[in-house]
Amino acid sequence: MQKINILIVGAGVAGRELVAQLIKYFSNRYEIVGFLDDDQKLQGRKVSGIKVLGKIDDLPSQIKKYKVEEVLIAIPSAEGFLIRKVINACQ
């Protein structure tokens, strides 16, 4: 079975918890290619062993680069404009 490449938007607490759950329960299904987060301090660093590849605005290029099939939003406080931004970037 080929794994599905995913990107996680949000490398904060929720993102780290999501990674832990994905690795624990779905490691045979998903390949986490990286995080996207607008926090400048996280750029280029690893969070829970997963690299922060860039900012949310980089989503279209990262989807193409890594052949991402699913994007997960791990920002509990995300407002509608941010969710729309992610959805539009995915389209």
Side-chain angles (χ1 to χ4, degrees), residues 10-17 35 37 42 47 74:
V13 173
R16 292 191 301 271
E17 289 176 4
F35 283 109
D37 197 293
L42 296 175
V47 174

Side-chain angles (χ1 to χ4, degrees), residues 6-24 32-37 42 46-52 71-78:
I6 63 170
L7 269 172
I8 299 173
V9 175
V13 173
R16 292 191 301 271
E17 289 176 4
L18 179 58
V19 166
Q21 294 300 311
L22 289 170
I23 290 170
K24 184 174 181 178
I32 305 167
V33 299
F35 283 109
L36 294 179
D37 197 293
L42 296 175
K46 285 192 174 184
V47 174
S48 297
I50 308 294
K51 188 168 183 180
V52 178
V71 175
L72 305 178
I73 301 172
I75 306 172
S77 62

Side-chain angles (χ1 to χ4, degrees), residues 37-86:
D37 197 293
D38 286 343
D39 185 342
Q40 188 63 38
K41 293 177 274 182
L42 296 175
Q43 300 305 307
R45 302 187 85 167
K46 285 192 174 184
V47 174
S48 297
I50 308 294
K51 188 168 183 180
V52 178
L53 302 171
K55 297 182 180 236
I56 297 170
D57 286 337
D58 299 325
L59 190 54
S61 63
Q62 297 300 326
I63 287 172
K64 288 179 188 173
K65 181 176 182 178
Y66 292 100
K67 298 180 175 127
V68 171
E69 295 179 58
E70 294 184 22
V71 175
L72 305 178
I73 301 172
I75 306 172
S77 62
E79 296 185 16
F81 79 92
L82 177 60
I83 293 170
R84 282 189 296 278
K85 180 179 178 179
V86 171

